[in-house]
Each structure stands twice: as structure tokens, then as C-alpha cells.
């Protein structure tokens, strides 16, 4: 799963990327407008994994991971269909987008639009993504119209007519500036659209990069309301977060108290990204390893088994399952079994976020 970090030059993308990944990519106080991509994967912070580690004292703890890509090179002409092909290519390969928006004032850092206005910048980028989708949908509609003129009957014609109807709806919506993620589409339609990699269909996390004096501000405090499907909006202080991430734990705690930061904004960013991707975690536990596994929100027991190893899904017999809270209350697997909170589930069981599973299999 890849989350593409996008935004205007000097919004703080690379600063956030460095904070997220512990990387040290150079930040610049002016934009070169150069197309540039940096990639790194990150542990998903999860207090439940800490708790399970304390409980089982395993030799090894493995957390869920997400991958971030810092995609630089958005330049002037944004909002006017100004995205270059290679930039679009990098963005369209992301599973979700993280839009870093400048909300900090600084005389040292120029803003490509000449002033700081977070709501305006969100609009600019949203328009850019919409325009890109419009082009894709229009092109596809032209090709379909061509095919339909040539092909008078047959099952393929039926499929193409259905696709045409769907794309016409999309075209109308996009024309009214409705992102695809806000449109009502059934599972079949979503599947059909997946191949187009439409940018406004991707989950979107807006991160407002505010100054050090704005920690604890809400988006509304900064003049922003962002209410869309599969979207969320967070405020962080990019530079402060980067400094926090570079401190050792004791100093970090002290500095967080000083600035009134309850939880590193970084953790919120990673958690929200994970949630927007429609993913959840289940856990396996033992003396050897406590491990978080990532599956889709609607995963079944046999799919969860497959996330661990294909052998486990092929030879799936049953799964021993206990909810996270039940396990922590009981204190051990044996105690949970005694208390009757550990269950045996079959292959179609709908996994719940936080389930602790042990898969029985035979191959
Ligand atoms: N004052 C202030 N400067 C910041 C903040 N975040 C980033 N910057 C500075 O803004 C400049 C551009 O940041 P960078 O991460 O390179 O932006 P990018 O072009 O979006 O990758 C750098 O000089 C950063 O140090 C912030 O929260 N406050
Ligand atoms: Mg950068």
C-alpha cells in the first residue's frame, strides 16, 4: 500500500516525509520544480501492539507497515491542468493521497501563490486532480463511442454500453466538481473503475502544516472545512514534528509538554492513512513473535490466514479467535479460553479489527 504525498512546492512535503520515515532528504526553502520521488516504509504505531508485547514478552515484535512516497514537482499552472505526465504517473500509482497544505507563516519560505491561504491551495489541488480525471474519462468515452459505432450487437456491446452510462455519470459529476470518491457507486462499478486509477477516487488525507504556535488547532481554526467521503483533515506542525522526531525519548517528552503536544501528530497521520486505506489489523501472538497483520476491512478468517501465508488459507481448518479487549482482560490465551471469550471460527468469519487469531491448518 502506497500513500503519495503531494502538494504545492514549499508546503512541507519533504519535512513531513522525513518526520514520517526518519529520513533525511534535503528540504529546500525555494522550489526547483523538479520532479522527484522519495520512498520509504513506516511502522504503524499501535498501542495494542505495545500492550501485547508487554503481555507476551516475545523475542520479536512486528508492526503493520505503510509506504510513503514524497512526490515533488507540482509547479505553476496548478489548477489549470498543469500536471506533467511523469508526475501524474507517480500520483496515479498511489493507493491513497496525502495532501500537505501550507498553513505556516514565514518570511523565509516563499509561497508559489504569493500568500498563505490553505483553503485556496486545497481547492487548487482538488481542481488539478479533477481535471486529470476529466481528461481520462473523456478520452475513454470517445473510444467507447467509436467502438459502439462499429459494433452493432453482441455481449461486448452490452458491456460497453454499461461502461458508457457509468462514465457519463462520472463526467457529469466531475463537471460539477464532485470528486469520484463522493459519488455513489456500487461494488461492480468501483471494480470497473479501478483500472482507470482516477485520482479523485483515491482516499485523501489533507494535512495542514501549521506553525509551532498552532499546535492543537483544528482545521476550522485555520479556516478549513473538508467534508468529503474517504477523506480526513488533520493539523500538524511540520517543523516541530521533525524536531521532535529527531530527539531522544526523554527530551521528546519534555518538549511535547512544553508545546502542549499530547501525541506526535505523526502518529495521527499514520493511523489516519491506514484507516483511509480501508485496512485493519489482526494479531498473532506467542513467545516468538507478536505481530500485526494488515487486511481489508471486510476480510474473512480464510483471507486473514492467507495474509500470513498461502499455505494457511489453502489448508485452513479453523481459527481460534479472541478479541483484543477480551485477551487483555483475561491476561492470557488460556485464561481467555477458561473465561469463554476465546472462540472457534470457520473460514467465513468476518475478522474484527484487533482480533487475535491462531489459524489451524493442514496441508
Ligand atoms: N516556519 C516553518 N517552516 C517550515 C515548516 N515546515 C516546513 N518548513 C520549511 O519550509 C521549507 C519547505 O519545506 P519542504 O519540506 O522542503 O517543502 P516541499 O517543497 O513541500 O517538500 C523548508 O525550508 C522547511 O524548513 C513549518 O511548520 N514552519
Ligand atoms: Mg520537497
Amino acid at each position: 500500500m502506497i500513500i503519495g504525498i503531494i502538494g504545492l512546492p514549499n508546503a512541507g512535503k519533504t519535512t513531513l516525509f522525513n518526520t514520517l520515515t526518519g529520513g533525511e532528504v534535503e528540504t529546500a526553502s525555494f522550489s526547483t520544480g523538479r520532479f522527484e520521488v522519495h520512498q520509504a516504509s513506516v511502522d504503524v504505531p499501535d498501542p495494542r501492539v505495545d500492550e501485547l508485547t508487554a503481555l507476551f514478552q516475545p523475542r520479536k515484535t512486528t508492526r503493520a507497515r505503510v509506504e510513503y512516497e514524497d512526490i515533488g514537482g507540482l509547479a505553476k499552472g496548478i489548477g489549470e491542468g498543469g500536471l506533467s505526465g511523469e508526475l501524474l504517473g507517480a500520483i496515479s500509482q498511489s493507493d491513497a493521497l496525502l495532501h500537505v497544505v501550507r498553513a505556516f507563516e514565514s518570511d523565509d519560505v516563499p509561497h508559489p501563490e504569493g500568500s498563505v491561504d490553505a483553503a485556496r491551495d486545497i481547492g487548487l489541488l482538488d481542481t488539478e486532480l479533477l481535471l486529470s480525471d476529466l481528461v481520462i474519462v473523456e478520452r475513454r468515452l470517445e473510444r467507447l463511442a467509436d467502438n459502439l459505432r462499429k459494433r452493432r450487437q453482441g455481449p461486448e456491446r452490452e458491456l460497453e454500453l454499461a461502461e458508457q452510462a457509468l462514465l457519463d455519470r462520472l463526467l457529469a459529476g466531475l463537471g460539477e466538481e464532485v470528486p469520484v470518491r463522493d459519488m455513489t457507486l456500487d461494488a461492480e462499478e468501483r471494480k470497473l473503475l479501478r483500472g482507470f486509477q482516477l485520482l479523485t477516487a483515491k482516499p485523501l488525507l489533507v494535512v495542514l502544516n501549521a506553525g509551532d504556535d498552532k499546535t492543537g488547532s483544528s482545521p476550522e481554526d485555520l479556516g478549513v472545512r473538508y467534508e468529503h467521503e474517504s477523506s480526513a483533515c488533520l493539523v500538524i506542525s511540520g517543523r516541530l514534528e521533525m524536531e521532535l522526531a529527531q530527539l531522544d525519548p526523554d527530551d521528546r517528552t519534555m518538549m511535547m509538554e512544553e508545546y502542549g503536544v499530547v501525541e506526535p501528530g505523526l502518529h495521527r497521520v499514520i493511523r489516519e492513512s491506514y484507516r483511509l486505506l480501508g485496512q485493519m489489523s489482526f494479531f498473532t501472538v506467542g513467545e516468538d513473535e507478536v505481530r500485526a497483520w494488515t487486511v481489508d476491512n471486510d476480510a474473512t478468517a480464510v483471507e486473514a490466514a492467507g495474509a500470513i501465508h498461502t499455505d494457511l488459507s489453502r489448508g485452513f481448518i479453523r481459527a481460534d479467535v479472541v478479541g483484543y479487549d477480551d485477551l487483555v482482560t483475561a491476561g492470557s490465551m488460556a485464561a481467555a479460553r477458561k473465561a469463554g471469550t476465546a472462540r472457534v471460527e470457520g473460514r467465513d468469519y468476518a475478522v474484527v479489527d484487533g482480533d487475535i487469531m491462531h489459524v489451524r491448518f493442514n496441508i
Side-chain angles (χ1 to χ4, degrees), residues 16 19 21 59 85 134 142 155 161 178 232 276 295 310 312 316 341 360-361:
L16 177 66
T19 312
T21 62
R59 276 182 278 278
L134 265 176
E142 277 167 29
L161 281 170
V178 179
L276 283 176
V295 285
T310 46
L312 269 65
F316 185 93
T341 49
R360 309 265 172 195
F361 71 109

Side-chain angles (χ1 to χ4, degrees), residues 220-232:
E220 287 78 15
D221 295 337
L222 301 170
V224 173
R225 289 181 79 91
Y226 200 77
E227 285 162 353
H228 292 285
E229 292 299 317
S230 305
S231 308

Side-chain angles (χ1 to χ4, degrees), residues 8-16 26-29 70 104-106 109 209-212 237-240:
L8 288 177
N10 286 347
K13 296 182 295 299
T14 302
T15 302
L16 177 66
E26 213 175 315
T27 57
S29 59
D70 173 8
F104 64 89
E105 296 285 348
S106 166
V109 183
N209 184 17
D212 303 357
S237 296
R239 209 173 48 176
L240 178 66

Side-chain angles (χ1 to χ4, degrees), residues 24 27 73 128 136 184-185 189 224 270:
E24 289 176 5
T27 57
E128 197 62 53
I136 291 172
T184 316
L185 301 167
E189 293 170 326
V224 173
I270 299 174

